[in-house]
Amino acid sequence: MGDVVVLLKDVWKTYDEGNNKVVVLKKINASLMRGEIVGIHGPSGSGKTTLLKLIAGLIRPDRGEIIVDGYNLNMLDDNGLAMIRNTVVSYIPQDYGVIDEFTVFENVELPMLIAGVGKEERVRRVREVLEYIGLYNKVNVKTKLLSGGERQRVAIARALVMTPSVLLADEPTANLDWNTALKVIELFKNIREDFKTTIVIVTHDPRLLDLMDRSFTLMDGYLKDTTYKRREL
Ligand SMILES: Nc1ncnc2c1ncn2[C@@H]1O[C@H](COP(=O)(O)OP(=O)(O)O)[C@@H](O)[C@H]1O
Ligand SMILES: [Mg+2]
């Protein structure tokens, strides 16, 4: 048995939309292992982003338990969730969430500023992670001047700089051409090898699922492991 890093136990999530209650996630159960790369696929509006935000502790479930690298998120208050964000679990939003007016350095430094890491250490780690990602030549460039693929890599560097156990990437390849998308997936595979990170990649591109260790499909509120089905095709 491997080491379970993300455990979802009977997780439900409802949103209020005017007078309606919309049940987005129903009784979700899943175990993700250390060092695993998992794809989550599903139609637009099926709750993929909601699921990632729950695992990241950015929103809370109505019911159920979410345990991330030993932390039961229900037991943490907002400060507790802020403490584990980036150090235990990092979420990369679909629009990358990089700050345009900041340089690459300033964007990647941000989680360390929040965590209170000293200046010398920040400079050292920004350099280290940018060299790893292959973007150190752009360290002092404002991110608004970068290409889509480069901005995505800044977002990955920023998510990686506190060496979290879990990386959650929301449609990381949605705005990239196929070759650039493949390079991003290759980078995630290297990160998994080098840091044993568990990586969850949300995508609406079924071709990418073939590159993952396991894949899940989210539909009508239910999450199904569809790895086996895919291999049968
Ligand atoms: N903050 C919110 N308030 C109300 N409804 C929301 C909110 N966020 C998402 N939803 C609704 O929940 C459903 C799932 O959204 P989302 O998780 O973004 O799906 P996906 O990422 O698969 O496209 C959609 O119907 C969406 O309109
Ligand atoms: Mg989404």
Side-chain angles (χ1 to χ4, degrees):
M1 273 294 286
D3 179 4
V4 175
V5 174
V6 177
L7 181 66
L8 299 161
K9 228 166 109 185
D10 292 341
V11 171
W12 292 71
K13 181 67 187 175
T14 306
Y15 288 118
D16 284 320
E17 282 179 356
N19 301 326
N20 288 343
K21 279 199 181 301
V22 182
V23 185
V24 179
L25 299 176
K26 300 170 185 165
K27 208 174 165 44
I28 304 288
N29 283 286
S31 309
L32 312 183
M33 314 307 271
R34 192 171 304 282
E36 185 171 48
I37 302 190
V38 172
I40 297 179
H41 179 245
S44 176
S46 59
K48 303 182 297 296
T49 295
T50 300
L51 184 60
L52 289 193
K53 285 186 174 172
L54 284 165
I55 299 170
L58 290 164
I59 56 174
R60 292 180 184 273
D62 307 332
R63 274 193 268 161
E65 286 195 334
I66 301 168
I67 298 167
V68 183
D69 209 8
Y71 292 91
N72 184 333
L73 302 191
N74 289 345
M75 308 293 273
L76 299 176
D77 61 11
D78 291 350
N79 283 336
L81 290 177
M83 291 280 286
I84 67 156
R85 204 163 291 140
N86 299 316
T87 58
V88 172
V89 54
S90 286
Y91 170 70
I92 305 171
Q94 182 170 359
D95 62 4
Y96 311 145
V98 295
I99 300 167
D100 284 348
E101 292 303 321
F102 279 19
T103 64
V104 171
F105 181 92
E106 289 163 337
N107 270 282
V108 178
E109 180 190 36
L110 207 52
M112 293 188 285
L113 276 176
I114 294 166
V117 177
K119 171 90 185 188
E120 232 173 90
E121 174 81 359
R122 294 200 304 272
V123 171
R124 188 181 68 72
R125 274 156 69 177
V126 169
R127 180 177 183 135
E128 199 173 81
V129 77
L130 287 178
E131 280 176 344
Y132 180 79
I133 292 247
L135 215 57
Y136 190 65
N137 59 330
K138 300 280 168 82
V139 63
N140 290 318
V141 176
K142 282 195 177 168
T143 47
K144 68 177 172 191
L145 300 174
L146 300 180
S147 71
E150 287 168 338
R151 290 161 65 80
Q152 174 63 271
R153 269 154 54 218
V154 172
I156 295 170
R158 189 186 52 190
L160 197 59
V161 76
M162 300 294 290
T163 54
S165 307
V166 182
L167 264 185
L168 309 168
D170 201 346
E171 313 237 11
T173 62
N175 305 313
L176 307 178
D177 63 69
W178 180 241
N179 282 329
T180 313
L182 284 179
K183 282 189 191 136
V184 169
I185 301 298
E186 200 176 303
L187 174 59
F188 281 129
K189 291 202 165 185
N190 289 337
I191 290 169
R192 176 265 290 281
E193 286 306 312
D194 295 335
F195 304 99
K196 292 279 174 285
T197 316
T198 300
I199 302 175
V200 183
I201 299 174
V202 157
T203 177
H204 58 242
D205 188 341
R207 293 176 300 174
L208 286 181
L209 295 176
D210 288 331
L211 307 172
M212 317 276 160
D213 300 325
R214 273 202 295 160
S215 56
F216 289 88
T217 303
L218 199 51
M219 206 178 290
D220 303 323
Y222 297 103
L223 184 71
K224 289 200 181 99
D225 188 331
T226 42
T227 315
Y228 181 65
K229 201 170 162 191
R230 170 167 55 83
R231 290 202 176 126
E232 289 244 296
L233 293 176

